[in-house]
Amino acid sequence: MNDVIHNPLLAGFNPDPSICQAGDDYYLATSTFEWYPGVQIHHSRDLANWELVTRPLSRASQLDMRGNPDSCGIWAPCLSYADGLFWLVYTDMKRYEGNFKDGHNYLVTAPHIEGPWSDPVYLNSSGFDPSLFHDSDGRKWLINLQWDYRQREGRDRFGGIVLQEYDLELRRLVGAITTIFTGTELKLTEGPHLYRRNGWYYLLVAEGGTGYQHAVTMARSKTLTGPYQVHPNNPLLTSQHDPENPLQRAGHADLVDSPEGHSSEGHGSEGNSSEGNSYLVHLCGRPLPGTRLSPLGRETAIQRVEWGADGWLRLANGGNTPALKVAVSGVTQKPLAQEDHYDFETDTLPAAFQWLRTPYPERLFSLTERPGYLRLFGRESVGSWFEQALVARRQDSIYCSAETTLEFEPEDIQQFAGLIAYYNRFKFHYLAMTLNDTGDKVLSVISCLDDWPNGNLEIADASVRLAPGTTIRLGLDIHARELRFRYAQGGEEWQPIGPALDAGLLSDEGSGRAHGYFTGNFLGMAAHDISGRGTPADFQAFCYRRAPLSETR
């Protein structure tokens, strides 16, 4: 056993971690934003090795994000286990630009992590990042950021953390709404979690915004409603003053105990002072070397923490900056496979893949109409906020490649399908098969180079005519900031197509000139038919390869 966990714990777009323990099992929920189904939940027995087990928001009665803008949808879910049930609260954000935020908070429950998950109970719409606290007396409390739409000098619009009781019988919030914490000088106070330990209520929040000033703040009080005293060494965690640290943007955290002890049960159990380690899971970003561009998005990392004699929590390695390696006794962390190959031989989509927004995937794709193939039905244009046939998986290494085999018979220039690297409607690179003006089947490289808010396209002068009736293999290679497409007809050798493209644009930060976002880059298959005829495209397989571990750590 190597007794070390290498960060990040969950590579690629997996932000806003919430962790809970049920017996010997650990479950970690992360945000999925506009990608469907909603909320990723991973399982582990040792805190080092994690497996995706479910995305619980998988039907229209739970979640419909058609029309949600980019980087809206599922924000900051909170997962807890109490009373023999799993409890999941989440925000469905419908708008986040400007002074207003239209986000609705819901609760679903399940007897088992795999489900069945209930239809949602509506909670409130006062702000985002809801968290459910199970107190030791059996009462349950919802806390969330309250949004203040007003613009006032010296104040941000993060109006404070509010608390209200949840009534189990009435299945709604009841009683007074109380502001329990208004934050520190770091500002932008969000992502709250409450815990109870040794007679104290501990409040963990994210502050500083989710960029390079992000941080974790802790406060405590003898009473649930406060006042809360801020940690004397605040912030508990940040990368702000350590620009050379590979883990940047550290913040938005949650607590859990190790298997050796139960010194601080998360989300509401009364703790004690027994032996054992506690761990902090938090989001982070790994920018491309020499840049502040994070195409892998915000990922999840873990840090070992210790409770001091003064009752405050601190990082076990000292200071407040995240560690790339964390000592955990008795574990061996398995590296990610160098290759993930998908043959589409079953009638269910492989777990790694998601699609965008709609709860009706049968309108987008089928795995049964042509067995052994993923058939995509061409829908709205690339970047549509409603219904586009785009099935993709996360990029989780800055050195990687993707390949697929395509059979497609477009009838005109309005029908195109192929291999795509997609961040959102303003940031993508697309190797697409279509027809040209003379009716020849061609490959084209289509990009949107972070052109917010216009979304204008760049079409590379690199079209390649294809032989009729030939199966086409499509590939891409990403080496840090450079992305290149390639293709092969039939059994021929791979050929490059188009210019070297900027993979750094496919990041939260993008060009730095335009707009902030919160997701990460996806690689996948797409079919678009803006004529409305739904022309199908068949993909025989998809292969994703990572560079060897030594190149990425």
Side-chain angles (χ1 to χ4, degrees), residues 113-129:
I113 201 69
E114 297 85 0
W117 287 87
S118 68
D119 280 346
V121 173
Y122 171 73
L123 297 171
N124 65 23
S125 301
S126 63
F128 48 89
D129 292 4

Side-chain angles (χ1 to χ4, degrees), residues 471-483:
T471 296
I472 304 300
R473 290 181 291 148
L474 306 176
L476 64 80
D477 301 290
I478 296 176
H479 190 279
R481 195 165 180 173
E482 182 179 274
L483 184 152

Side-chain angles (χ1 to χ4, degrees), residues 64-393:
D64 187 344
M65 298 184 290
R66 288 174 295 177
N68 286 20
D70 294 327
S71 287
C72 287
I74 297 300
W75 284 23
C78 175
L79 180 67
S80 56
Y81 182 76
D83 309 325
L85 287 175
F86 289 95
W87 307 72
L88 180 69
V89 293
Y90 59 94
T91 302
D92 179 7
M93 184 61 68
K94 299 297 185 183
R95 171 189 174 176
Y96 85 98
E97 294 178 311
N99 284 48
F100 290 107
K101 297 281 185 291
D102 292 320
H104 312 304
N105 296 321
Y106 300 93
L107 164 69
V108 293
T109 59
H112 308 285
I113 201 69
E114 297 85 0
W117 287 87
S118 68
D119 280 346
V121 173
Y122 171 73
L123 297 171
N124 65 23
S125 301
S126 63
F128 48 89
D129 292 4
S131 178
L132 190 64
F133 173 64
H134 309 271
D135 209 344
S136 56
D137 61 2
R139 299 172 75 180
K140 301 185 186 300
W141 302 84
L142 186 80
I143 54 173
N144 61 269
L145 156 72
Q146 185 175 61
W147 187 251
D148 186 345
Y149 64 89
R150 299 168 295 174
Q151 185 72 52
R152 293 174 290 170
E153 186 175 353
R155 295 283 301 276
D156 57 46
R157 292 191 285 269
F158 291 64
I161 305 302
V162 296
L163 175 143
Q164 190 176 13
E165 186 170 6
Y166 177 73
D167 189 295
L168 283 172
E169 292 186 1
L170 297 177
R171 301 178 75 230
R172 62 180 178 86
L173 298 175
V174 298
I177 301 171
T178 304
T179 300
I180 63 171
F181 190 63
T182 57
T184 74
E185 68 280 359
L186 298 177
K187 298 184 178 180
L188 304 175
T189 306
E190 57 185 328
H193 293 296
L194 268 172
Y195 317 87
R196 190 170 180 179
R197 172 189 166 88
N198 294 340
W200 289 93
Y201 290 95
Y202 287 88
L203 177 66
L204 202 67
V205 296
E207 293 196 297
T210 196
Y212 288 84
Q213 286 74 49
H214 208 23
V216 177
T217 291
M218 175 171 269
R220 71 181 183 185
S221 172
K222 282 290 187 179
T223 60
L224 178 63
T225 56
Y228 279 82
Q229 171 193 2
V230 177
H231 196 301
N233 304 118
N234 190 56
L236 174 62
L237 177 74
T238 186
S239 304
Q240 179 181 1
H241 307 297
D242 189 9
E244 301 304 315
N245 194 316
L247 304 179
Q248 290 295 308
R249 307 167 71 187
H252 200 118
D254 198 4
L255 285 169
V256 75
D257 287 317
S258 72
E260 295 87 31
H262 301 280
S263 59
S264 162
E265 302 265 345
H267 301 298
S269 295
E270 180 71 53
N272 54 57
S273 57
S274 65
E275 292 297 322
N277 295 318
S278 293
Y279 290 87
L280 187 83
V281 293
H282 64 93
L283 71 76
C284 65
R286 292 179 292 166
L288 297 174
T291 77
R292 286 198 164 189
L293 301 171
S294 309
L296 305 186
R298 298 172 303 154
E299 306 171 290
T300 288
I302 191 168
Q303 306 296 327
R304 192 163 64 87
V305 288
E306 297 174 342
W307 293 94
D310 59 358
W312 286 109
L313 194 68
R314 294 176 176 85
L315 296 184
N317 66 331
N320 64 357
T321 58
L324 197 60
K325 297 180 181 180
V326 177
V328 180
S329 62
V331 303
T332 297
Q333 187 180 25
K334 300 175 183 176
L336 294 174
Q338 290 190 17
E339 178 176 302
D340 295 330
H341 187 83
Y342 310 97
D343 287 325
F344 307 126
E345 295 289 349
T346 68
D347 60 0
T348 57
L349 193 66
F353 291 93
Q354 288 182 271
W355 60 93
L356 290 161
R357 296 183 174 85
T358 177
Y360 302 109
E362 64 275 8
R363 288 185 50 80
L364 308 182
F365 62 84
S366 170
L367 288 148
T368 58
E369 286 209 5
R370 188 181 178 188
Y373 289 79
L374 172 65
R375 171 164 288 183
L376 299 186
F377 306 107
R379 293 298 180 218
E380 294 175 340
S381 61
V382 58
S384 167
W385 286 349
F386 292 87
E387 189 176 80
Q388 60 168 312
L390 192 159
V391 173
R393 55 150 299 149

